[in-house]
């Protein structure tokens, strides 16, 4: 639909930026922190440095001052579970509590709204050794951990996110499972346990945090059929349900998506559901939905001849296909980044419309951004490509707003350069450049990229000219 005039972003719109603990903090074994699965993960590409990352743990004051200069209204970050409870379910580490207290106070000082992800890919290693999410005890451990966060930070943190990209952890499990990757059956048991854990934590947040809002943060994307051939449409529906709607249907409607349940049955992946699980899930209602969006995916009808699945790297945006369910297909209408990710700004509008149409809850864009090989030349980073990318996605978001979708904020990935899950510092997303490379930490000096100044202007004028 074309419009004569577009709606403005609301006055209190949360222009923000995102990071996650293990990708930005470093200090992986300092001040009592326990190990997480990420600290021992060996990426096939050989990038394993989550140990120092962007050294945000030691430089958070300088970083928050940069956020304030950028004009951020919100900062979405995650808390490292193993910093708060080193072995996942035992003693509390006071130094860990103190770090996030300081960080939150610093944000509050500059009137930046903290948006906290409780868990972003970094399960404490000790819990992983005991079976990770497939073990029901991890549910209790997560609830205990969340309770500590609500107790300590609930007076200042009002926006909470339960789990980052649960759907990526199930569909691309390599990076979250050092050692042997669990079977699909085990993964879906873990997935069910995460649903129960999120539901309990959602209820707890409502009980403990006055004015607290909480929601999930899956990676959601519209799935296109390769052609208007109805068999391709079936494949697109299959994959959209398995990849996306399963996670939001549970969170919002409190039930398993019927198509996904049929798929789980067919494949022999149905999880064991304990008495009371579905009641808790149905009772817990999110206040808003966090949405990570990078690009749409395109699929074709499955052939079911042993060739539907074509494994590539474990990258979360690269579709691999599944026998008898869908095949990955090319979309010749879209550009592609240097890292093989599609770029689809209109797809963002499509995705936002589809989500809102299904759930009618306020949406917070919790991730979206461009990973690129930025270059520091004479103290400057000319990342016009990132500006173009964000400009187009902001514009499509404005169109979605005009379509009537309720959007409360936008937190691009990422505030500052951090370790990419698969390409380390070879793939950067930040508005702020961190001067280090894979092997040489240098001084890790911060530089403002061109996109920093551009975003600063966008926030100042509340994206009037977007
Ligand atoms: C999201 C994750 O899937 O994508 C982030 O939540 C991640 O943790 C981001 O960094 C970008 O992906 P990548 O692989 O380029 O780091």
């Amino acid at each position: 639909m074309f419009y004569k005039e577009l709606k403005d972003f609301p006055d209190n719109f949360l222009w923000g930026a995102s990071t996650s603990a293990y990708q930005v903090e470093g200090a992986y074994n300092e001040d009592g922190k326990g190990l997480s699965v990420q600290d021992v993960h060996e990426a096939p590409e050989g990038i394993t440095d989550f140990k120092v990352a962007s050294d945000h743990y030691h430089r958070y004051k300088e970083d928050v001052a940069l956020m304030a200069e950028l004009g951020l209204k919100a900062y979405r970050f995650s808390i490292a579970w193993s910093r708060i409870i080193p072995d996942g379910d035992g003693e509390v580490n006071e130094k860990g509590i103190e770090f996030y207290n300081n960080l939150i106070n610093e944000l509050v000082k500059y009137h930046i709204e903290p948006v906290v992800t409780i868990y972003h890919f970094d399960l404490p290693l000790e819990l992983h050794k005991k079976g990770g999410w497939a073990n029901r005890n991890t549910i209790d451990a997560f609830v205990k951990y969340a309770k500590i966060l609500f107790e300590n930070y609930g007076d200042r943190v009002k926006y909470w996110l339960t789990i980052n990209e649960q759907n990526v952890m199930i569909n691309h499990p390599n990076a979250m499972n050092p050692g042997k990757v669990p079977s699909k059956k085990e993964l879906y048991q873990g997935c069910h346990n995460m649903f129960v854990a999120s539901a309990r934590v959602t209820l707890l947040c409502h009980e403990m945090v006055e004015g607290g809002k909480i929601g999930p943060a899956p990676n959601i994307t519209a799935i296109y059929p390769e052609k208007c051939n109805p068999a391709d449409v079936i494949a697109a529906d299959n994959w959209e349900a398995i990849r996306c709607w399963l996670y939001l249907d549970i969170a919002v409607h409190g039930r398993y998506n019927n198509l996904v349940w049929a798929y789980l049955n067919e494949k022999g992946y149905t999880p064991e559901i304990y008495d009371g699980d579905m009641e808790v899930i149905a009772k817990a209602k999110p206040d808003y939905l966090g949405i990570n969006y990078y690009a749409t995916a395109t699929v074709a009808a499955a052939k079911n001849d042993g060739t539907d699945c074509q494994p590539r790297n474990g990258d979360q945006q690269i579709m691999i296909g599944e026998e008898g369910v869908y095949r990955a297909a090319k979309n010749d209408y879209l550009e592609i980044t240097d890292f093989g990710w599609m770029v689809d700004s209109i797809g963002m509008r499509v995705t936002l419309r589809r989500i809102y149409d299904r759930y009618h809850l306020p949406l917070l864009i919790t991730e979206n951004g461009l990973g690129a090989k930025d270059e520091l030349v004479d103290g400057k980073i000319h990342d016009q490509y990132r500006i173009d990318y964000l400009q187009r996605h902001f514009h499509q978001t404005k169109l979605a707003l005009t379509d009537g979708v309720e959007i409360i904020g936008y937190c691009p990935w990422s505030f500052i350069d951090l370790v990419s899950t698969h390409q380390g510092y070879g793939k950067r997303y930040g508005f702020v450049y961190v001067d280090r490379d894979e092997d040489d930490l240098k001084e890790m000096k911060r530089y403002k990229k061109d996109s920093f100044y551009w975003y600063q202007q966008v926030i100042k004028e509340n994206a009037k000219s977007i």
Side-chain angles (χ1 to χ4, degrees):
M1 186 148 41
F2 284 93
Y3 293 107
K4 286 187 212 72
E5 219 177 301
L6 299 190
K7 262 194 192 165
D8 283 332
F9 285 93
D11 285 341
N12 55 355
F13 195 73
L14 294 172
W15 291 107
S18 282
T19 63
S20 90
Y22 79 94
Q23 293 174 278
V24 76
E25 286 177 3
Y28 81 109
N29 63 354
E30 281 181 47
D31 290 340
K33 180 179 170 298
L35 293 180
S36 85
V37 291
Q38 296 299 340
D39 296 319
V40 298
H41 174 65
E42 287 185 22
E45 299 85 348
I47 295 148
T48 53
D49 180 30
F50 296 117
K51 295 191 162 65
V52 180
S54 295
D55 198 31
H56 175 69
Y57 186 77
H58 297 114
R59 300 174 199 230
Y60 74 91
K61 281 198 176 169
E62 178 188 352
D63 292 344
V64 175
L66 281 164
M67 291 175 204
E69 187 182 340
L70 178 55
L72 291 191
K73 309 280 186 223
Y75 172 49
R76 175 203 177 219
F77 61 99
S78 76
I79 290 184
W81 185 342
S82 61
R83 211 180 271 296
I84 301 291
I85 307 176
D87 65 0
D89 63 358
E91 294 294 306
V92 174
N93 174 30
E94 288 306 326
K95 282 275 186 195
I97 300 278
E98 189 186 316
F99 170 68
Y100 295 106
N101 247 328
N102 292 341
L103 172 61
I104 291 164
N105 287 342
E106 204 64 15
L107 292 167
V108 170
K109 178 170 118 191
Y110 291 106
H111 309 290
I112 300 170
E113 186 80 53
V115 178
V116 171
T117 314
I118 298 175
Y119 163 53
H120 189 126
F121 297 167
D122 53 354
L123 189 71
L125 187 61
E126 291 307 314
L127 292 183
H128 173 75
K129 286 185 190 158
K130 293 180 198 154
W133 280 105
N135 181 342
R136 293 279 297 187
N137 293 338
T138 303
I139 303 176
D140 292 333
F142 185 67
V143 176
K144 170 179 165 179
Y145 159 57
K147 185 163 182 260
I148 292 165
L149 303 190
F150 298 148
E151 260 160 21
N152 282 279
Y153 311 129
D155 56 336
R156 286 150 295 156
V157 177
K158 301 298 171 189
Y159 286 87
W160 294 89
L161 294 157
T162 49
I163 299 185
N164 179 71
E165 294 193 349
Q166 183 176 333
N167 55 338
V168 166
M169 289 195 265
I170 303 307
N171 292 306
H172 301 272
N174 298 36
M176 293 76 180
N177 292 282
K180 194 173 149 280
V181 176
S183 67
K184 284 259 190 191
K185 173 88 179 156
E186 288 163 331
L187 284 168
Y188 276 105
Q189 186 62 54
C191 184
H192 176 75
N193 294 348
M194 278 191 237
F195 288 146
V196 178
S198 303
R200 284 181 55 191
V201 162
T202 299
L203 292 169
L204 196 63
C205 176
H206 289 148
E207 232 175 84
M208 292 181 66
V209 181
E210 210 190 311
K213 296 178 197 303
I214 188 160
N219 177 314
I220 301 294
T221 182
I223 309 291
Y224 300 153
E226 186 185 31
K227 301 199 181 76
C228 49
N229 166 11
D232 286 357
V233 177
I234 290 287
D237 284 355
N238 289 343
W239 183 226
E240 202 170 64
I242 295 166
R243 187 191 183 283
C244 304
W245 305 142
L246 163 64
Y247 300 86
L248 290 175
D249 281 5
I250 281 275
V252 183
H253 299 316
R255 56 176 146 73
Y256 271 86
N257 176 287
N258 62 291
L259 205 53
V260 181
W261 194 254
Y263 155 84
L264 295 174
N265 255 316
E266 170 63 26
K267 298 278 181 183
Y269 303 154
T270 42
E272 192 175 344
I273 297 180
Y274 285 61
D275 276 356
D277 284 359
M278 294 316 292
E279 285 72 14
V280 170
I281 287 173
K283 213 163 136 206
K285 298 285 178 207
D287 304 284
Y288 67 104
L289 303 176
I291 301 296
N292 292 358
Y293 171 85
Y294 286 89
T296 51
T298 302
V299 307
K303 291 190 178 159
N304 207 23
D305 62 355
T307 65
D308 287 333
C309 177
Q310 291 150 18
R312 295 160 224 213
N313 67 15
D315 207 314
Q316 61 274 39
Q317 291 302 130
I318 315 279
M319 305 300 128
I320 56 180
E322 185 167 355
E323 196 55 27
V325 183
Y326 78 101
R327 292 170 77 87
K330 264 186 79 203
N331 186 332
D332 293 329
Y333 294 96
L334 301 179
E335 291 162 34
I336 191 161
T337 72
D338 290 345
F339 295 93
W341 289 21
M342 308 313 288
V343 177
D344 186 6
S345 55
I346 297 178
M348 174 137 201
R349 182 181 180 192
V350 177
T351 304
L352 293 170
R353 283 158 55 134
R354 285 189 189 177
I355 299 168
Y356 195 67
D357 190 38
R358 286 180 79 94
Y359 305 109
H360 286 275
L361 279 175
L363 308 182
L364 174 64
I365 297 160
T366 37
E367 283 185 36
N368 167 245
L370 178 69
K373 296 175 189 153
D374 296 336
E375 252 189 280
L376 175 69
V377 183
D378 299 331
K380 305 227 175 312
I381 303 93
H382 299 304
D383 57 341
Q384 187 56 44
Y385 37 87
R386 180 165 295 109
I387 296 175
D388 292 344
Y389 177 99
L390 288 172
Q391 205 277 339
R392 284 191 272 159
H393 285 77
F394 287 179
H395 181 67
Q396 291 299 327
T397 303
K398 206 173 194 179
L399 281 159
L401 265 181
T402 311
D403 290 330
V405 178
E406 193 182 345
I407 306 164
I408 57 173
Y410 199 133
C411 298
W413 186 264
S414 52
F415 165 64
I416 193 167
D417 287 345
L418 37 70
V419 194
S420 141
T421 60
H422 290 81
Q423 288 92 2
Y425 283 86
K427 186 187 192 189
R428 294 166 183 267
Y429 286 87
F431 293 108
V432 175
Y433 185 91
V434 176
D435 190 20
R436 62 158 288 183
D437 55 34
E438 238 49 83
D439 314 308
D440 186 355
L441 295 179
K442 305 188 199 168
E443 286 175 28
M444 305 193 88
K445 220 178 135 198
R446 276 63 172 142
Y447 292 89
K448 291 167 241 172
K449 301 184 191 177
D450 287 358
S451 57
F452 181 100
Y453 298 104
W454 172 82
Y455 191 34
Q456 189 180 48
Q457 207 41 46
V458 170
I459 298 176
K460 207 176 272 168
E461 53 134 37
N462 201 20
K464 282 256 181 314
S465 56
I466 290 286

